[in-house]
Amino acid sequence: MSTVKTGDTVTIHYTGTLKDGTTFDSSRDRDPLEFTVGSGQIITGLDSALPGMAVGDEKTVEVPCADAYGEADPERVQEVPREEIPTHIELQPGGQLQAQTPDGQILQFTVREVDEENVTLDANHPLAGQDLIFDIELVSLRTAG
């Protein structure tokens, strides 16, 4: 039976949870995730857990934040004057905003706080600083070459 190695294309079903048991994402109610192992398409900690698995195998993988979305960087949190954000944009803590840099790069922000004068925006990935747990099942394997 073939087992996964770097360069193979796989499909997996997964459920991702936080240490407290909260589910943050799952493929169980949709198509499985397809990607090439070792290509950088998914987080390192999950990618590195796949080599050696065979179709039908299931496992639980604990991924430290360093191998997921990294530590939260306080430099990526900033206060912006409320007047600089268009009035038609609803600002609620936990909400998501996008902004475009002068060179065309799209940035994602999470609204942390809103008051009369300022809005605190966080450009860290929402899962930065979190250790993650994935329950994975290898659904299919297409070997490289």
Side-chain angles (χ1 to χ4, degrees):
M1 176 178 281
S2 293
T3 60
V4 175
K5 58 189 174 315
T6 300
D8 290 345
T9 299
V10 298
T11 58
I12 63 168
H13 268 304
Y14 67 91
T15 299
T17 57
L18 304 176
K19 289 273 189 179
D20 68 4
T22 304
T23 298
F24 63 84
D25 193 16
S26 179
S27 68
R28 294 289 177 181
D29 294 329
R30 59 183 191 263
D31 289 338
L33 177 65
E34 180 177 285
F35 59 94
T36 301
V37 176
S39 66
Q41 293 173 294
I42 64 169
I43 61 172
T44 305
L46 187 54
D47 200 18
S48 64
L50 292 160
M53 290 183 72
V55 172
D57 284 355
E58 297 182 27
K59 70 162 72 168
T60 298
V61 181
E62 293 191 29
V63 180
C65 71
D67 293 330
Y69 298 100
E71 294 288 346
D73 180 356
E75 302 258 330
R76 299 197 67 176
V77 178
Q78 61 184 329
E79 267 193 4
V80 176
R82 175 67 182 91
E83 65 203 27
E84 289 185 17
I85 299 176
T87 56
H88 71 277
I89 295 177
E90 187 176 331
L91 296 171
Q92 296 292 325
Q96 301 290 310
L97 296 179
Q98 283 187 347
Q100 188 170 357
T101 64
D103 65 355
Q105 181 182 6
I106 302 293
L107 301 175
Q108 299 272 36
F109 295 95
T110 300
V111 177
R112 292 289 174 220
E113 292 181 38
V114 180
D115 64 30
E116 295 292 320
E117 296 178 13
N118 296 303
V119 178
T120 304
L121 299 176
D122 186 346
N124 286 292
H125 187 282
L127 294 172
Q130 300 276 347
D131 294 331
L132 308 176
I133 301 167
F134 289 92
D135 291 319
I136 58 175
E137 173 191 1
L138 184 62
V139 175
S140 72
L141 165 63
R142 194 168 62 246
T143 57

